[in-house]
Every structure is written in structure tokens, then in C-alpha cells.
């Protein structure tokens, strides 16, 4: 049972080939695991070794190339014929002498691809400088083109099935946020809070089980709320504290991120004041965003709101999100920020995260949204406000 129909996979291949043709790319080497999944269904924790999906402009099916022990993953999770799955021996793995790109380069040369225009994802986490160096050595007559984010831009418009999975992820995100909020108490350890969050994320809902999110729960507390990407410790919470939770629900590798700020005891006035402004600005953005406007215009609405109160936000307001693997649930395409002229279209999805971070405190209250025909809809359902662990009812 595949998460998508063969027809949907083939449509994705066709849309990718259109972009390849415009770029003059004959062969596309895909190393980003989310892009591999998107085009083939490949789904395994094997991205720590070199692997790729190879898409040819003039062939119907791609080929998968990777480690021998991962070939069965390709056979079990992709729609490819088994003869299109080619693996290298294990002595290529983390060897000082051999490199998987030596093997991959020889395969491409043997099937007549050594003189073609080859697109590679130069700026991904998974395609190293050494990989590129060895591949160029193996294919000296090929022309290499930077194809970073080519498939990512195909992914930015979601199908109805993808939106369904993201809505399921949103329900899981809400459940996980309730679990984290209810666990945050004076005297509780941060690590125990995260354990409750993980249980909710992975068990999911009665309707849909959870998957491992691309980012771990982020849980800065106190002065550390000014540093949004801090995780957790085994410290216990004091009787009064501000805590930020940023997490995501994940289903079939599709994400719905969510962030909230929670207080133990009486909130600091500055935290309450900034939270009110953040919520006001987020509400204005949600009322404005729709197909036809640009990412820059959306961010301008946010800036106009917070500027009325003398606040500024240097970092982007949000980004496209959806299918992904560690270490990031963002798609690396459209960003809600000044200068991004990307036109918002129906069935795009964004994590709108108007976080405000200062030297010794911060506030985050975010939403994941899907762009509809004339507006947007929330993927998760959770009170949009500064919260205390006694301010709302728990949800099972």
C-alpha cells in the first residue's frame, strides 16, 4: 500500500521533467530524501549514507542507487521496477579509499550518461563536497548544473491527498501541544515534558498514527526563550517561568508545525505585552493571506502591525512546509519576508511563525496553514494566546 497513487507519482515526475527541460538538464541526481520520497515513495532512515534517485529526461522510470542493505527498502516502498534498483557493496560505506560516487559514476557511464547535462542538488544537507568532487572525477565529460531546490518548487503546490496528510499531522500537533503544556509544572523536569510530547507525537490519534518529525521538540525556558533553537535539559522548572514549545505533528512524512508560549505562575508583563502584539499581528496576517498576494506583501502586513508598537522583527515571518526528513521540516522555497516575490497560490502550505526574540526572553505563537481558494485554513486547532498550564482544558 503506497501513500499515493501511481498516477500521482507519474504526474510529479512529469512536472519535474518540465523544469529539467527549461534548465537544459538531461539527468537529475536527487539526494534530498524528501525529494526522493516525493518522486518515488522511497522511505527509510538511510540518508546518513550516500544514495540518490536518478531521473532521466528521456526515460519513464528513474533508477534508485544506494547501499546494498537499503535496496530492499527501495523495493518495498517505491513504485520502481526492481531492475531499476541498483545497490553498491558495503565496502563503499565510509571508506577512505572507495566512495559511493565512484560506483554511481561508473553506473551512469555504463548506461550512456557520461556526456550529458547532469543536475545535482548542490546545496542540500546530503550531497557533500567530497561526493561532488568524486562524481566529477568519475564523469569528466559531463556538464554539471546546480539543480538545488528544483524538485522542492514542484512540491510547493500540494495535492488533496497531501493536504489530507497535513491535516492529520495538524491534529497530532494539537495533541502533542496539549501534552507538553499539561506536563509543564513547577518541579517537573524538562526531559519528562519532552517524553510526554514524544509519546503524543508518535502515538498520534485514533484516526492516524504519528511519524518521527524532522525536528525534535524545541523547549527553551526562562532566559533561554530568547534562543529559539535550544532543546531541553534535565533541569526542573521553578515556580514562575516562561516556556516556549515548538513542535510538529507528522503523518506519512508530512508536517504541521506549531509553537506556543506558556507560563508557570504569573507571566512577566513584558511577555504578556509582546504576546498580545504577536497575536494581533498574526490575526492580521491570517485575515490577509490568500492566493494572488506575494510573500513580501504578507510579511509587510505583519511589520505594519508590530511597527505601531515600536517593535521590529529581523527574521522571516514564515516559510513553506510539508514533506520532509531531518534536520528540517521547511521546504527551502518560499519565505514570508521582504524581497520574496513568490505569488501565494491555492494549496501551498506555510508555517507562519511570528516569533519575537530578545536578549533575555522571547515569545512564539505560530500557526500552520493551507492556502484555500480565497483565504487560508488552519492545520492545527489550538488556542492562539499566551497560555498558562491551567488556562485551558486538556484534550485527549
Amino acid at each position: 500500500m503506497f501513500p499515493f497513487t501511481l498516477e500521482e507519482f507519474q504526474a510529479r515526475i512529469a512536472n519535474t521533467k518540465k523544469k529539467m527541460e527549461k534548465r537544459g538538464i538531461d539527468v537529475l541526481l536527487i539526494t534530498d530524501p524528501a525529494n526522493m520520497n516525493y518522486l518515488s515513495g522511497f522511505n527509510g532512515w538511510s540518508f546518513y549514507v550516500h544514495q540518490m534517485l536518478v531521473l532521466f529526461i528521456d526515460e519513464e522510470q528513474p533508477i534508485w542507487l544506494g547501499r546494498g542493505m537499503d535496496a530492499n527498502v527501495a523495493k518495498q516502498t517505491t513504485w520502481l521496477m526492481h531492475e531499476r534498483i541498483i545497490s553498491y557493496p558495503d565496502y563503499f560505506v565510509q571508506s577512505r579509499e572507495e566512495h559511493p560516487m565512484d560506483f554511481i559514476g561508473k553506473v551512469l557511464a555504463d548506461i550512456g550518461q557520461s556526456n550529458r547535462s547532469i543536475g545535482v542538488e548542490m546545496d542540500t544537507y546530503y550531497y557533500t563536497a567530497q561526493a561532488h568532487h568524486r562524481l566529477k572525477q568519475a564523469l569528466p565529460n559531463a556538464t554539471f548544473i546546480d539543480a538545488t531546490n528544483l524538485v522542492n518548487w514542484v512540491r510547493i503546490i500540494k495535492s488533496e491527498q497531501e493536504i489530507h496528510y497535513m491535516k492529520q499531522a495538524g491534529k497530532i500537533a494539537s495533541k502533542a501541544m496539549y501534552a507538553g503544556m499539561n506536563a509543564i509544572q513547577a518541579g517537573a523536569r524538562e526531559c519528562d515534558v519532552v517524553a510526554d510530547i514524544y509519546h503524543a507525537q508518535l502515538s498520534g490519534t485514533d484516526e492516524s498514527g504519528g511519524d518521527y518529525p524532522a525536528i525534535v521538540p524545541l523547549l527553551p525556558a526562562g532566559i533561554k526563550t530568547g534562543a529559539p533553537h535550544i532543546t531541553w535539559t534535565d533541569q526542573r522548572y521553578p515556580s514562575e517561568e516562561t516556556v516556549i514549545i515548538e513542535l510538529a505533528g507528522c503523518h506519512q512524512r508530512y508536517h504541521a508545525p506549531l509553537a506556543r508560549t506558556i507560563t508557570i505562575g504569573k507571566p512577566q508583563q513584558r511577555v504578556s505585552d509582546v504576546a498580545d502584539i504577536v497575536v494581533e499581528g498574526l490575526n492580521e496576517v491570517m485575515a490577509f493571506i490568500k492566493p494572488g498576494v506575494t510573500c513580501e506583501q504578507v510579511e509587510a502586513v505583519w511589520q505594519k502591525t508590530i511597527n505601531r508598537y515600536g517593535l521590529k522583527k529581523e527574521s522571516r515571518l514564515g516559510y513553506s512546509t510539508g514533506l520532509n526528513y531531518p534536520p528540517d521540516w521547511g521546504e527551502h522555497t518560499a519565505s514570508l519576508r521582504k524581497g520574496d516575490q513568490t505569488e501565494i497560490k491555492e494549496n501551498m502550505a506555510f508555517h507562519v511563525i511570528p516569533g519575537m526574540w530578545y536578549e533575555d526572553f522571547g515569545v512564539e505563537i505560530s500557526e500552520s496553514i493551507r492556502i484555500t481558494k480565497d483565504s487560508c485554513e488552519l492545520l492545527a486547532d489550538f488556542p492562539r494566546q499566551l497560555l498558562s498550564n491551567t488556562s485551558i482544558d486538556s484534550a485527549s
Side-chain angles (χ1 to χ4, degrees):
M1 293 292 294
F2 296 124
F4 299 97
T5 64
L6 177 59
E7 289 74 21
E8 182 158 344
F9 281 120
Q10 290 174 334
R12 296 170 178 183
I13 293 283
N15 289 334
T16 302
K17 286 184 177 180
K18 290 177 183 177
K19 288 189 176 291
M20 290 171 61
E21 188 173 13
K22 288 181 180 179
R23 298 282 304 278
I25 295 172
D26 301 318
V27 181
L28 180 61
L29 309 185
I30 300 159
T31 53
D32 185 324
N35 292 338
M36 292 174 64
N37 179 301
Y38 183 75
L39 295 177
S40 73
F42 184 84
N43 185 16
W45 190 284
S46 53
F47 42 83
Y48 64 96
V49 295
H50 292 289
Q51 58 184 13
M52 64 173 58
L53 190 74
V54 185
L55 182 59
F56 307 96
I57 195 71
D58 50 2
E59 295 186 24
E60 182 178 345
Q61 279 199 34
I63 63 173
W64 178 91
L65 288 157
R67 188 181 185 182
M69 68 173 62
D70 298 319
N72 279 343
V73 178
K75 292 175 182 178
Q76 294 172 22
T77 64
T78 76
W79 58 274
L80 306 180
M81 292 186 296
H82 287 187
E83 56 263 33
R84 307 288 287 186
I85 295 168
I86 304 170
S87 61
Y88 55 79
D90 213 63
Y91 60 76
F92 281 96
V93 176
Q94 298 170 4
S95 167
R96 293 186 178 183
E97 292 79 29
E98 310 287 349
H99 195 281
M101 292 302 155
D102 304 338
F103 178 91
I104 289 171
K106 185 177 186 306
V107 170
L108 293 175
D110 288 346
I111 61 176
Q113 308 298 322
S114 60
N115 296 308
R116 305 194 81 182
S117 173
I118 299 177
V120 292
E121 296 175 312
M122 292 289 291
D123 194 19
T124 67
Y125 306 114
Y126 319 91
Y127 186 69
T128 65
Q130 179 71 349
H132 189 63
H133 172 66
R134 296 294 280 260
L135 191 61
K136 288 183 70 175
Q137 283 188 327
L139 299 169
N141 297 319
T143 300
F144 287 90
I145 296 174
D146 184 4
T148 302
N149 291 343
L150 185 151
V151 181
N152 303 57
W153 281 103
V154 177
R155 287 165 41 199
I156 196 169
I157 303 294
K158 310 297 186 293
S159 69
E160 290 302 320
Q161 187 64 45
E162 289 179 290
I163 294 297
H164 171 72
Y165 290 149
M166 293 187 75
K167 287 181 176 180
Q168 299 308 306
K171 294 177 181 179
I172 296 170
S174 297
K175 180 182 176 183
M177 187 63 74
Y178 278 111
M181 179 180 155
N182 291 333
I184 292 174
Q185 304 282 344
R189 296 190 304 172
E190 293 178 6
C191 55
D192 293 328
V193 173
V194 173
D196 286 350
I197 291 172
Y198 264 125
H199 183 270
Q201 286 177 311
L202 301 184
S203 60
T205 66
D206 291 340
E207 188 176 359
S208 299
D211 206 343
Y212 61 91
I215 301 177
V216 302
L218 302 173
L219 201 74
I223 191 173
K224 292 184 288 188
T225 55
H229 296 143
I230 282 180
T231 54
W232 62 87
T233 71
D234 61 356
Q235 293 180 344
R236 297 184 183 275
Y237 292 110
S239 58
E240 290 191 355
E241 189 74 293
T242 302
V243 184
I244 290 174
I245 304 177
E246 183 180 349
L247 52 75
C250 184
H251 180 64
Q252 295 284 5
R253 302 301 328 138
Y254 284 83
H255 291 74
L258 187 66
R260 289 293 185 269
T261 302
I262 297 162
T263 64
I264 303 172
K266 184 179 179 181
Q268 299 177 32
Q269 188 61 49
R270 61 180 181 172
V271 172
S272 297
D273 292 343
V274 171
D276 287 344
I277 297 169
V278 165
V279 170
E280 181 179 341
L282 184 53
N283 289 341
E284 292 290 332
V285 166
M286 301 291 287
F288 175 80
I289 195 168
K290 60 185 177 182
V293 303
T294 66
C295 289
E296 181 179 60
Q297 290 174 321
V298 174
E299 196 268 350
V301 169
W302 158 255
Q303 288 289 355
K304 182 178 180 181
T305 302
I306 66 172
N307 289 349
R308 289 200 299 265
Y309 299 95
L311 301 185
K312 294 182 179 180
K313 176 178 167 65
E314 298 289 339
S315 57
R316 61 185 177 174
L317 175 65
Y319 47 83
S320 63
T321 190
L323 167 68
N324 232 317
Y325 288 80
D328 187 17
W329 55 50
E331 285 185 325
H332 298 193
T333 50
S335 290
L336 303 177
R337 62 183 170 195
K338 185 176 182 180
D340 192 326
Q341 297 297 320
T342 303
E343 180 183 346
I344 305 292
K345 295 181 179 179
E346 185 178 2
N347 278 354
M348 288 183 175
F350 290 91
H351 183 205
V352 185
I353 181 164
M356 300 295 294
W357 301 287
Y358 302 94
E359 188 66 27
D360 58 350
F361 84 102
V363 173
E364 287 184 43
I365 300 172
S366 79
E367 299 286 5
S368 282
I369 61 171
R370 171 256 189 119
I371 305 300
T372 61
K373 190 172 183 178
D374 53 11
S375 184
C376 71
E377 66 174 332
L378 297 175
L379 296 177
D381 181 14
F382 203 89
R384 191 185 305 160
Q385 63 191 62
L386 179 67
L387 299 163
S388 74
N389 51 10
T390 58
S391 62
I392 59 175
D393 292 332
S394 302
S396 59

